[in-house]
Amino acid sequence: MTRDVRRQPNKERQQRSNVRDPSGSYVRSPALQSAEERRSSVAQGTKSRKGNYSQVERQEKTAQETKQRAATVQAITEEEQEKLATLEMRLPRVAGKVDAWLLIIVLTLLCIGIVTVYSASAFQGARDQGDASYYFQRELMWTILGIVAMLLTLRVDYRQWRRFSLVGMLIILPLLVIVLKFGVNVYGASRWLSLGSFFSFEPSELTKLVLALYIADWLARKGDQVGTFLYGLVPFIILVGIVLGLVLLENDLGTAIIIAGFATAMFFTAGANITQFLLAMACGGLIFLKEAFSSYRFYRVAGFMNPFKDVTSINLQLYQALLALGSGGWFGLGLGNSRQKTGYLPFPYTDSIFPIIGEELGFVGSAVIVMLFLFLAFRGFRLARRTPDLYGALLATGITTWLVLQAMINIGANTGTIPYTGVPLPFISFGGSSLVVSLAAVGVLLNISRYIQEPEAPALSLRKKRVGSRYITSTQ
């Protein structure tokens, strides 16, 4: 009796849980099924709410981390950033190898220059100084000093020049003023400061290197402000304009064009606004046109339009230069056999040395010189592209543009491609100031090449090749 009573609830529970269908099989009770569905829906809702809560928590955590990073960035002031930059410059770096191709190009140009100076100056040295090797000996001395300067700048980390660029500007600007008052006037241009009869110095040549160092530092510090009108373009025009004004007062239009050229290239590389850049170019072009059509420069422009007119006066140098190039033919008259250097062509070993090369070595020799400078441009701009910091990239751009543009102006003037203006051919023309400063600039370029970032080697692609029943991995 008791057992039947105790078993009764179980039977009733079983009856509530299982209901027979018409076929006789047991099915789940609708009441129990609805209760289970309610429990599962509640569980799913709880999980979804937990998922939403976790997603909201992740978003809040991300926002808090972003705020913390922003606060950290804002906590570093400009003064602290400058201190970090100064500390970074003082840290030693592991230097690599120099750009061997760039060094070979410069040394090749130097060797050609020494030989050509001796050939082009022998007649005038014997006539004026009583020694055919007089100018050759001086050029050899300047070459040795220039190589020493190149080795010194090669050993100094180029970042260290940022400390002295402002001091250099404070030294060079007074020199540009002093040369206007106390400089030696030669052929209407007051460019040289003379210390006795043996040593003379041209401040405008040193200005190129010092200005390149300073502009690179100034633009690197400006950052994004370079593209603005008030903080980028206006200070740049004032800075470069002061230097150009002093150089133009020396009646040295060629050097002014070179300075304006490499400064503009550096400004554009630093991120100048293209509209403002074109506006500055237009204003600079108007100033140079005004200078080109004033005083004796107007006659040079007129002579450029008709180089075979007035060949005994204003066009004398250009006409004799074209004669020298034309008489050289394909392979030249032979080294030392130039006729134009014997009193016909003015300045055969300085500004007009390229026509002597064309006369003695022919078109082939002239083409070699042009190719060497094109290769120099390629290596220099390649360094600028691979330099890891903005200062080094701007400095490499400025120095390369300066050397290549100066070569273009000299060759273009002597071939009648542009109106005549007197600038030396880098590494080849006779001249101490130009040679020493140019080699010092090359030393800076070579030092930059020791810290460039080489592009990563492309990854090897692996391919499996089936040989019989095996797969062999091969590289491509």
Side-chain angles (χ1 to χ4, degrees):
M1 181 72 180
T2 308
R3 292 179 180 177
D4 295 337
V5 172
R6 289 179 179 176
R7 292 175 180 174
Q8 186 65 28
N10 294 333
K11 293 180 178 180
E12 294 178 355
R13 190 181 300 111
Q14 185 177 4
Q15 291 176 358
R16 290 196 302 268
S17 302
N18 302 313
V19 181
R20 288 179 179 271
D21 62 354
S23 63
S25 59
Y26 286 99
V27 296
R28 189 171 295 278
S29 172
L32 180 60
Q33 185 176 1
S34 62
E36 290 180 354
E37 289 177 353
R38 285 196 301 271
R39 284 196 299 270
S40 63
S41 63
V42 170
Q44 291 177 357
T46 304
K47 290 181 180 180
S48 63
R49 285 194 297 272
K50 289 182 179 179
N52 293 334
Y53 290 152
S54 62
Q55 184 177 4
V56 171
E57 290 176 356
R58 286 196 299 270
Q59 293 177 352
E60 291 179 353
K61 185 177 181 180
T62 304
Q64 291 177 357
E65 292 177 353
T66 304
K67 291 180 180 179
Q68 290 176 357
R69 285 196 294 267
T72 305
V73 172
Q74 294 177 356
I76 300 177
T77 62
E78 294 181 359
E79 182 179 357
E80 291 174 342
Q81 290 178 358
E82 292 181 358
K83 291 181 179 179
L84 288 175
T86 304
L87 179 61
E88 183 183 0
M89 283 195 302
R90 292 178 179 177
L91 292 176
R93 297 192 296 179
V94 178
K97 297 180 180 179
V98 300
D99 189 336
W101 282 110
L102 179 60
L103 183 60
I104 291 172
I105 293 168
V106 174
L107 293 179
T108 303
L109 289 170
L110 277 178
C111 294
I112 295 174
I114 292 174
V115 174
T116 309
V117 165
Y118 179 70
S119 175
S121 64
F123 176 82
Q124 191 165 342
R127 184 188 62 184
D128 299 338
Q129 307 296 333
D131 184 3
S133 63
Y134 174 79
Y135 295 101
F136 167 75
Q137 294 173 8
R138 293 169 65 90
E139 180 72 2
L140 189 60
M141 179 190 67
W142 289 117
T143 301
I144 295 173
L145 291 177
I147 291 176
V148 171
M150 182 180 69
L151 293 176
L152 290 177
T153 54
L154 171 62
R155 300 293 299 175
V156 178
D157 190 337
Y158 66 90
R159 300 179 304 171
Q160 304 300 327
W161 296 112
R162 301 186 69 171
R163 305 180 187 178
F164 309 105
S165 58
L166 179 59
V167 177
M169 288 296 296
L170 295 177
I171 294 174
I172 202 64
L173 288 176
L175 288 177
L176 291 176
V177 176
I178 292 172
V179 75
L180 295 175
K181 182 67 176 177
F182 303 101
V184 178
N185 193 301
V186 180
Y187 299 104
S190 180
R191 308 176 189 175
W192 292 269
L193 285 176
S194 180
L195 301 177
S197 59
F198 182 76
F199 178 78
S200 62
F201 172 68
E202 195 171 356
S204 60
E205 290 294 335
L206 183 59
T207 302
K208 299 174 186 176
L209 179 57
V210 173
L211 187 63
L213 295 171
Y214 181 77
I215 290 180
D217 179 48
W218 182 75
L219 291 175
R221 294 180 186 276
K222 281 289 181 180
D224 295 336
Q225 291 182 340
V226 173
T228 63
F229 178 80
L230 186 60
Y231 297 100
L233 181 62
V234 173
F236 175 78
I237 291 178
I238 294 174
L239 170 64
V240 179
I242 292 174
V243 177
L244 291 180
L246 293 174
V247 174
L248 286 174
L249 289 176
E250 301 176 5
N251 286 328
D252 193 355
L253 181 61
T255 300
I257 294 175
I258 295 168
I259 291 174
F262 77 72
T264 304
M266 296 172 71
F267 186 57
F268 184 73
T269 305
N273 184 285
I274 186 63
T275 304
Q276 299 175 5
F277 174 76
L278 294 177
L279 178 61
M281 289 289 291
C283 295
L286 291 175
I287 295 174
F288 280 107
L289 285 176
K290 176 183 176 298
E291 291 293 328
F293 286 96
S294 63
S295 66
Y296 68 93
R297 299 189 185 99
F298 172 77
Y299 298 101
R300 287 188 174 180
V301 175
F304 165 73
M305 302 302 294
N306 191 356
F308 299 102
K309 182 180 179 181
D310 299 325
V311 295
T312 59
S313 56
I314 190 64
N315 276 342
L316 173 63
Q317 191 166 356
L318 177 58
Y319 178 72
Q320 296 296 333
L322 294 177
L323 283 180
L325 291 170
S327 61
W330 283 97
F331 301 101
L333 303 177
L335 190 62
N337 294 328
S338 170
R339 294 187 291 263
Q340 296 300 316
K341 68 182 181 182
T342 59
Y344 297 101
L345 178 62
F347 313 112
Y349 54 93
T350 55
D351 297 345
S352 300
I353 197 169
F354 185 75
I356 302 300
I357 295 175
E359 186 180 13
E360 296 187 347
L361 302 179
F363 175 81
V364 174
S366 303
V368 169
I369 300 298
V370 174
M371 292 300 295
L372 286 173
F373 278 108
L374 289 177
F375 202 14
L376 174 64
F378 169 73
R379 302 302 296 187
F381 291 126
R382 178 177 177 271
L383 291 181
R385 184 169 57 89
R386 296 186 177 183
T387 304
D389 61 312
L390 180 60
Y391 173 73
L394 293 173
L395 190 56
T397 300
I399 294 175
T400 305
T401 305
W402 150 28
L403 296 174
V404 176
L405 181 59
Q406 183 169 329
M408 291 173 59
I409 292 175
N410 180 277
I411 296 173
N414 283 290
T415 55
T417 308
I418 61 174
Y420 199 93
T421 181
V423 293
L425 187 60
F427 314 115
I428 295 179
S429 292
F430 174 84
S433 301
S434 175
L435 182 60
V436 173
V437 175
S438 297
L439 287 175
V442 170
V444 177
L445 270 183
L446 291 173
N447 183 265
I448 294 174
S449 70
R450 303 180 69 184
Y451 302 100
I452 63 173
Q453 293 179 343
E454 293 292 344
E456 296 181 358
L460 295 175
S461 61
L462 301 178
R463 187 176 66 177
K464 291 184 177 180
K465 182 179 179 181
R466 183 171 181 175
V467 178
S469 59
R470 296 180 302 172
Y471 285 93
I472 299 176
T473 303
S474 61
T475 60
Q476 288 184 334

